[in-house]
Amino acid sequence: MDKKYKGIIFDLDGVICFTDHYHYLAWKAIADKKGIYFDEVINNRLRGVSRMESLEIILERCDETLTQDEKNALAEEKNGIYKELLKNMGPSDLSAEVKDTLDALRARGLKLAIGSSSKNTQFILERIGLKGYFDAVSDGNNITNSKPDPEVFLKAAQFIHEEPEDCLVIEDAYAGIDAACAGGFDSAAIGDASAYEKSTYRLNSFSDLLAICK
Ligand code: BG6
Ligand code: MG
C-alpha cells in the first residue's frame, strides 16, 4: 500500500512509552486490599480501556457488590498510587528510537497527535520530556466514550484539522485498533496488538513507521 498520510495519531501507553507495569502495580495493590485475584494476564485486558472500565474488569472476580461511590473511591485510590509510581519516569523512558522517529516524521511535514484513553496523558508527556511536543493531544479528559469507540481519535483528527482517511493511528491495544477501524482510520499495530489482523500495518519496531509514512 502506498498512501500519503497527513497526520499520525499515536496512542501513548504501550506506543510512545511503557506504563503498563505501573498500572499493574497500582491495580494489584487495590485488588490485594479487596482480596480479589489479579495477574498480568488480566492486566493485559486493561490496555486501552478507561480507568472505570478497568476497575469493572477487575471486579468481575469480586463476590461483593460495590456501590458507585465505593467504585469511585477505589478508582481514585488506584490513580493516587499510579501517579506516585509515574514519578519514577523521566526522559530516559523515552527511547531514542521513538524520539528520532517522531522528529523524522515531523520533518517530513506530518502532523503528530496523541490519542490516549488516559487522563494522565499530560503528566506522562511531561515526565518523559514531551510536554508541548505534539500538535494536538486528545485524551481521557476530552471524551465520553473510550476505545473501542473512535471518539478519542476522531477528536485528535479534528484538533489537527485532518480527515480520518488522511490519518494513521498507531496502537498497541486490540480495543485501539477496533477504535481506529470504527472511525475510518488506517492503523499500524505494535506490541501486544501486532498480531491483530484488523490493523492495516503491523510494526516490528517503532521506526518501521518511516517506511510507511514517506
Ligand atoms: C490507557 C491504558 O492508556 O489509559 C489503560 O492503556 C488505562 O490501561 C487507561 O486504564 C486510563 O488511564 P488513566 O491514566 O486515565 O487511569
Ligand atoms: Mg496503549
Side-chain angles (χ1 to χ4, degrees):
M1 198 183 298
D2 221 4
K3 187 166 167 183
K4 186 98 182 115
Y5 297 102
K6 297 179 180 168
I8 312 185
I9 304 172
F10 299 89
D11 172 49
L12 179 66
D13 298 319
V15 171
I16 300 290
C17 62
F18 298 91
T19 52
D20 307 31
H21 192 60
Y22 295 138
H23 276 296
Y24 170 72
L25 291 175
W27 281 127
K28 178 77 176 144
I30 299 296
D32 285 352
K33 180 178 139 176
K34 298 292 291 174
I36 304 167
Y37 179 78
F38 180 62
D39 62 18
E40 301 256 13
V41 177
I42 302 172
N43 192 57
N44 268 336
R45 289 177 56 203
L46 313 184
R47 230 179 266 275
V49 170
S50 75
R51 195 180 306 161
M52 281 313 282
E53 285 164 330
S54 297
L55 177 62
E56 293 294 348
I57 291 173
I58 290 164
L59 292 178
E60 285 170 8
R61 289 170 186 260
C62 179
D63 301 328
E64 211 184 315
T65 308
L66 303 182
T67 64
Q68 193 53 50
D69 282 352
E70 288 169 324
K71 289 179 186 176
N72 292 344
L74 285 179
E76 205 171 308
E77 189 180 345
K78 179 265 173 177
N79 195 50
I81 300 168
Y82 177 59
K83 282 193 80 169
E84 269 312 303
L85 291 166
L86 287 179
K87 290 183 183 161
N88 293 316
M89 290 184 87
S92 64
D93 287 288
L94 176 68
S95 74
E97 180 187 1
V98 168
K99 183 60 167 63
D100 291 350
T101 303
L102 290 172
D103 288 346
L105 292 168
R106 168 159 287 157
R108 290 176 186 184
L110 285 136
K111 293 182 191 167
L112 309 180
I114 289 285
S116 166
S117 306
S118 174
K119 293 185 171 166
N120 293 303
T121 295
Q122 294 289 5
F123 186 68
I124 296 167
L125 289 175
E126 192 173 343
R127 296 296 315 169
I128 62 175
L130 285 183
K131 184 177 179 221
Y133 181 88
F134 289 91
D135 298 302
V137 172
S138 172
D139 67 17
N141 297 297
N142 63 253
I143 54 167
T144 353
N145 306 300
S146 96
K147 301 168 189 176
D149 189 283
E151 188 180 358
V152 75
F153 295 139
L154 292 173
K155 291 259 168 68
Q158 273 173 24
F159 293 164
I160 55 170
H161 310 289
E162 297 295 350
E163 294 301 319
E165 65 260 33
D166 293 322
C167 297
L168 180 68
V169 165
I170 321 300
E171 258 294 347
D172 73 313
Y174 280 68
I177 298 292
D178 286 339
C181 290
F185 297 88
D186 281 357
S187 61
I190 192 164
D192 201 51
S194 57
Y196 196 17
E197 68 287 348
K198 275 181 78 175
S199 61
T200 319
Y201 309 94
R202 269 139 247 155
L203 308 179
N204 290 317
S205 192
F206 193 85
S207 58
D208 291 351
L209 276 177
L210 295 173
I212 298 170
C213 302
K214 290 181 187 146

